[in-house]
Amino acid sequence: MSRTPLRLIAATTALATALVALPLTALSASAAEPHVDNPYAGATQYVNPAWAASVEGAATRADAALATKMRAIKTQPTAVWMDQISAIAGNASGNGLRSHLDQALLQKQAGTPLVVNLVIYDLPGRDCYALASNGELPATDAGLARYKAEYIDPIAAILADAKYQNLRIAATIEPDSLPNLITNISHQPCQQAAPYYRAGVKYALDKLHAIPNVYNYIDAAHSGWLGWDTNSGPAAKLFAEVARTTVAGYASIDGFVANTANTTPLVEPYLPNSSLTVGGNPVRSAKYYEWNFDFDEVDWTAHLYNLLVAEGFPASTGMLIDTSRNGWGGAARPTSVSTSTDLNTYVNQSRVDKRVHRGAWCNPSGAGIGERPQATPSGYAGSHLDAFVWIKPPGESDGASTDIPNNEGKRFDRMCDPTFVAPKLDNQLTGALPDAPLSGQWFEAQFVQLVRNAYPVIGGGTNPTDPTPPSAPTGLTAGTITNTSVALTWTASTDNVGVTGYDIYRGSTLAGSSATTSFTATGLTASTAYSFTVRAKDAAGNVSVPSGALSVTTTGTTTPPGGCKVAYSANTWSTGFTGSVKLTNTSTAPLANWVLSFDFANGQTVQSGWNANWSQTGTKVTAVPVPGSWNATITPGTTVEIGFNGSHSGTNNPPTAFTVSGQPCTIG
Ligand code: BGC
């Protein structure tokens, strides 16, 4: 496994494949339970006894407090990786597929579905951009033939056994493979592997989708790999292209799995808004995020879902997030948003992800176990989550930190070497844990760290309180109401980061901001109804939901005291003209905050104006004084001149229906 966020765009290779989407007709003879939208809903998941035994072993060697935590998670479900042909029958690394499925049948409670998480991971030329999980099959035609005949076919034959028809099998399809074709296609081994990745994934999808109780989830890397628009768009297109090469088309893919074996946080609680500016720059422009909008896996899955649906995937497409190692708890977890005005300091102090770089994928120091496996987790509606799952079994190595000979094809990747200054990580030390065994092997020191740094804390304990958006302001009320302004007050909002101010909306228009719990909305029209709401903001950029709406009608009459007189003139040429309006206050009282309007009959449009703020809706043109300007109040008997440039399409008759603040004016 590598998790590499290089920002190169995949070269597009032409697909000479017919775009067929045939209905599935050939189901296995004995009907399995129906294929549902979300296999995890209402289901339990398979607990791998071998992983549980590794955890129990670690517990016997740990101090009492740690052992209690370890034992508290040893019954969590983890995925079974078919990482070699020999894994199907069973080998020195673990029991075979049938053995797991037989165990799963024993774990299944009558009447409750059970999901087995299975990882399909043996493509020809596997892990083309890294070395730690290189595989047994070469990126050649012969390698692909073996992948089909000796790997996918036997797995499919076992899964199709009627004995297992009441299990739900959720297959994570080939971690890192298609994502590598997006960002690392310029790397020779990835170029070599590309056609075999496409053909192998298509073959796996076809074979596995034909089994009704199997659910296919395509690996979709993570936010720090594919989040940039230059990567995410091409990735969604590649997923769609591959889907369309399959017999069942889009239907052969039930969903996507993000963060497989990676440690990217579910959420960055102190960096909720990638566009918030600090020191004048958006947070996403910080070195750590390199302009990526997606800081975490909730961002990424929501982003990806929208792209996939736009590419033609059905709305029912579900997302999984591997949360086995993305907790980032422990003493290094921030407990407040940074107050620094230096952007990089702000980001580095605020982020929970403590890796040196988002591309650090191998046994990262500081990581912790994340959310426990859970179906349809609430609170992330935009992400369309089917479940949090543990695909990478916590405690299994990502790669050896030194060269260890083996017969699995795995090699020494310096990204797993803690002494290596990695060019791919901006010339920083990798941050990998020392003394790591080969990928997939039990790495107890890492497991201890993951348990210690779990977030949420294992076994209840005290969780540091993450920030939540401020509460919505309450008690919005109007104080003084005049014919042009309304004084508003409300009750303060709270959160654990600190409310820094409020935005006041008039309808859906931002009317202004306030640092306190009061605001006076000005520039209103007399005898007019308005609706106000208020939202609270905090230092991290969280914004509350709106307060309850308050409807207010301004007072007064629309009559400017006394009256008004208007004189209009225009200079017209082919399609343009300059209009001028002289507005006289013919009353005996000052005319403040006037609103001049008139109608054009020939489709004329006002383009820019002076001495007033001009706007136009359809035929109606409105001019109001620039707040606080010299002509905001017209004293009795005086005239102000305002004007604009406009365009017309041939006929340019003078406007009609001049009014000031709703009151008709005399023309002259
Ligand atoms: C390894 C596999 C292993 C898996 C789960 C991968 O990085 O290459 O051999 O089964 O991790 O630990």
Side-chain angles (χ1 to χ4, degrees):
M1 291 287 301
S2 83
R3 306 260 95 191
T4 313
L6 277 203
R7 297 169 52 199
L8 307 174
I9 305 177
T12 44
T13 49
L15 268 186
T17 319
L19 304 183
V20 283
L22 300 177
L24 181 66
T25 46
L27 300 181
S28 66
S30 50
E33 65 158 73
H35 195 93
V36 295
D37 175 19
N38 177 3
Y40 293 88
T44 58
Q45 297 177 46
Y46 172 59
V47 177
N48 182 349
W51 182 77
S54 298
V55 174
E56 177 55 32
T60 61
R61 293 179 285 274
D63 66 49
L66 199 56
T68 303
K69 287 176 188 284
M70 290 175 173
R71 293 195 170 104
I73 56 159
K74 78 175 186 187
T75 50
Q76 289 294 343
T78 53
V80 171
W81 288 60
M82 292 288 109
D83 64 347
Q84 306 175 61
I85 290 167
S86 65
I88 302 169
N91 56 22
S93 306
N95 293 331
L97 181 54
R98 278 192 182 277
S99 160
H100 285 292
L101 298 178
D102 291 341
Q103 289 284 336
L105 286 176
L106 294 176
Q107 288 179 16
K108 187 178 180 312
Q109 314 272 309
T112 305
L114 182 141
V115 179
V116 177
N117 294 294
L118 188 68
V119 183
I120 302 297
Y121 190 49
D122 202 24
L123 274 177
R126 191 177 71 187
D127 207 12
C128 65
Y129 196 63
L131 305 175
S133 286
N134 284 172
E136 61 190 344
L137 300 177
T140 60
D141 289 354
L144 180 63
R146 287 192 66 198
Y147 180 74
K148 292 177 177 176
E150 296 176 41
Y151 181 70
I152 293 295
D153 287 355
I155 290 174
I158 293 170
L159 298 182
D161 187 334
K163 183 179 172 191
Y164 305 125
Q165 68 182 5
N166 288 323
L167 297 175
R168 294 177 179 175
I169 315 294
T172 289
I173 307 284
E174 296 292 358
D176 294 358
S177 59
L178 299 180
N180 265 322
L181 303 192
I182 298 301
T183 56
N184 301 318
I185 195 69
S186 62
H187 185 59
Q188 197 280 330
C190 293
Q191 258 170 43
Q192 168 83 20
Y196 302 109
Y197 282 8
R198 286 171 180 255
V201 169
K202 172 209 156 16
Y203 191 82
L205 288 172
D206 277 339
K207 281 284 175 176
L208 298 180
H209 177 69
I211 307 162
N213 54 322
V214 176
Y215 296 78
N216 286 331
Y217 289 88
I218 290 278
D219 180 79
H222 59 90
S223 54
W225 184 341
L226 293 181
W228 290 273
D229 290 343
T230 44
N231 294 343
S232 56
K237 285 197 188 315
L238 176 60
F239 296 146
E241 271 175 32
V242 172
R244 289 194 298 258
T245 65
T246 65
V247 172
Y250 294 113
S252 66
I253 298 174
D254 296 275
F256 290 78
V257 47
N259 202 41
T260 303
N262 201 259
T263 56
T264 306
L266 182 69
V267 289
E268 275 292 354
Y270 298 99
L271 297 169
N273 177 356
S274 55
S275 299
L276 181 81
T277 56
V278 172
N281 297 304
V283 172
R284 73 188 185 97
S285 71
K287 194 166 175 45
Y288 198 68
Y289 293 112
E290 299 174 301
W291 293 94
N292 191 336
F293 274 111
D294 296 345
F295 288 6
D296 55 45
E297 296 311 284
V298 168
D299 291 346
W300 169 230
T301 44
H303 181 188
L304 179 63
Y305 177 87
N306 289 334
L307 293 173
L308 292 167
V309 170
E311 287 297 330
F313 280 94
S316 59
T317 300
M319 298 287 162
L320 303 177
I321 298 177
D322 183 359
T323 56
S324 68
R325 308 188 304 176
N326 69 350
W328 296 106
R333 186 180 178 88
T335 53
S336 63
V337 66
S338 171
T339 54
S340 176
T341 52
D342 173 74
L343 177 58
N344 287 320
T345 309
Y346 178 93
V347 163
N348 291 338
Q349 290 179 344
S350 299
R351 62 184 162 92
V352 298
D353 185 341
K354 288 300 172 217
R355 288 176 294 181
V356 293
H357 186 281
R358 299 184 85 200
W361 54 266
C362 195
N363 303 320
S365 54
I369 282 174
E371 289 283 347
R372 311 303 107 86
Q374 189 189 334
T376 51
S378 63
Y380 314 101
S383 294
H384 297 265
L385 298 182
D386 279 356
F388 295 146
V389 284
W390 283 9
I391 300 299
K392 179 74 180 182
E396 291 186 10
S397 174
D398 294 315
S401 44
T402 52
D403 195 7
I404 301 177
N406 65 90
N407 58 7
E408 295 175 50
K410 292 173 175 169
R411 293 196 286 151
F412 175 38
D413 195 310
R414 298 294 305 274
M415 294 287 275
C416 303
D417 174 357
T419 68
F420 181 59
V421 175
K424 289 174 190 166
L425 306 177
D426 280 340
N427 297 316
Q428 301 176 86
L429 286 168
T430 60
L433 293 172
D435 305 320
L438 281 179
S439 63
Q441 292 188 0
W442 186 250
F443 182 14
E444 191 147 313
Q446 183 184 40
F447 185 66
V448 167
Q449 175 204 268
L450 289 168
V451 172
R452 286 213 167 105
N453 289 343
Y455 190 92
V457 169
I458 295 168
T462 323
N463 273 315
T465 315
D466 273 349
T468 50
S471 54
T474 54
L476 177 60
T477 41
T480 309
I481 304 170
T482 71
N483 52 358
T484 58
S485 69
V486 174
L488 301 166
T489 54
W490 55 88
T491 303
S493 312
T494 53
D495 79 346
N496 56 2
V497 173
V499 172
T500 56
Y502 299 88
D503 283 340
I504 298 88
Y505 285 82
R506 195 172 66 213
S508 57
T509 307
L510 184 64
S513 298
S514 171
T516 65
T517 54
S518 65
F519 179 79
T520 300
T522 55
L524 309 178
T525 304
S527 297
T528 305
Y530 294 95
S531 177
F532 293 96
T533 54
V534 181
R535 292 170 183 253
K537 303 178 289 191
D538 71 17
N542 290 297
V543 179
S544 78
V545 295
S547 67
L550 175 70
S551 297
V552 177
T553 302
T554 49
T555 59
T557 66
T558 55
T559 314
C564 53
K565 188 174 79 172
V566 158
Y568 175 83
S569 60
N571 271 329
T572 304
W573 60 94
S574 56
T575 57
F577 69 110
T578 300
S580 166
V581 181
K582 288 180 180 158
L583 171 60
T584 306
N585 178 0
T586 55
S587 76
T588 53
L591 178 55
N593 296 318
W594 42 269
V595 179
L596 169 75
S597 77
F598 54 80
D599 289 331
F600 270 128
N602 312 113
Q604 298 96 321
T605 53
V606 170
Q607 281 157 342
S608 61
W610 50 89
N611 292 348
N613 284 334
W614 292 85
S615 59
Q616 182 170 2
T617 306
T619 57
K620 186 161 290 302
V621 175
T622 304
V624 296
V626 177
S629 67
W630 60 275
N631 63 9
T633 299
I634 309 174
T635 51
T638 61
T639 300
V640 299
E641 183 167 3
I642 60 176
F644 61 90
N645 286 324
S647 65
H648 65 89
S649 53
T651 311
N652 189 21
N653 294 333
T656 56
F658 282 94
T659 63
V660 166
S661 301
Q663 182 73 12
C665 298
T666 55
I667 310 291

